[in-house]
Amino acid sequence: MRIATKERYALKLMVDLALQDKDEYISINSISTRQGISIASLRAVARALTAAGLIETNTGHLYHYRLNRDAAQIPIPEILRATDGKFACTACSEIEPEKCTRHRVCANVLFWEGMQESEFIGTKSGQTLCDLTDFCRNKTN
């Protein structure tokens, strides 16, 4: 499985937050410095993760975040879906699919929508953010 840049950034942001004190809000600037990712890219990813309910922002300090729940309760596929949304098999299914007269009968569209609904991608391992964080922590020690 190939992971897009936005998804990689989301995983890095989530691991970074999981490695910090769970009660502390972490600035996007400090995450950017540690991870080597631009602030603009992290802000876009953080918006998607906040909308998905995976992280929360500190109302008193703009662009300061923390996990919304324990890392062991956040499956990796949930992070990937928060940033990527639905699978798109073709450009026509991603941009205005209702304009395609074959959209409801197209074998490609039906296949990828079935994959999305079955949550096949990433569910076989059952890994959580906690597993990924532990792996990263062990690699740095």
Side-chain angles (χ1 to χ4, degrees):
M1 177 171 87
R2 184 179 169 101
I3 297 177
T5 301
K6 191 173 181 182
E7 294 165 322
R8 284 196 319 270
Y9 289 174
L11 289 170
K12 285 182 158 193
L13 186 148
M14 294 292 286
V15 166
D16 195 291
L17 291 176
L19 288 169
Q20 310 306 318
D21 179 358
K22 68 178 186 169
D23 294 325
E24 183 180 341
Y25 287 92
I26 309 301
S27 76
I28 208 84
N29 291 342
S30 64
I31 297 169
S32 173
T33 301
R34 281 191 297 277
Q35 299 300 326
I37 302 171
S38 75
I39 292 171
S41 294
L42 284 174
R43 284 180 181 170
V45 168
R47 276 192 300 274
L49 295 170
T50 302
L54 295 172
I55 62 175
E56 61 185 16
T57 186
N58 183 343
T59 55
H61 293 93
L62 194 58
Y63 304 118
H64 285 68
Y65 301 93
R66 70 179 179 190
L67 296 179
N68 212 12
R69 59 185 190 257
D70 188 75
Q73 298 174 342
I74 302 174
I76 297 297
E78 189 174 346
I79 298 168
L80 300 178
R81 278 193 303 274
T83 55
D84 189 39
K86 288 191 173 268
F87 298 118
C89 59
T90 61
C92 66
S93 67
E94 186 175 320
I95 303 168
E96 301 184 71
E98 63 281 351
K99 287 190 176 181
C100 177
T101 58
R102 294 186 26 81
H103 179 73
R104 285 289 93 202
V105 295
C106 177
N108 287 326
V109 171
L110 297 174
F111 172 79
W112 287 108
E113 284 181 352
M115 291 290 279
Q116 175 72 27
E117 289 171 14
S118 71
E119 299 182 5
F120 174 79
I121 305 297
T123 58
K124 288 190 174 201
S125 67
Q127 288 190 320
T128 66
L129 178 60
C130 185
D131 298 321
L132 184 56
T133 302
D134 289 344
F135 176 79
C136 292
R137 187 179 288 125
N138 291 333
K139 286 299 233 183
T140 59
N141 291 337

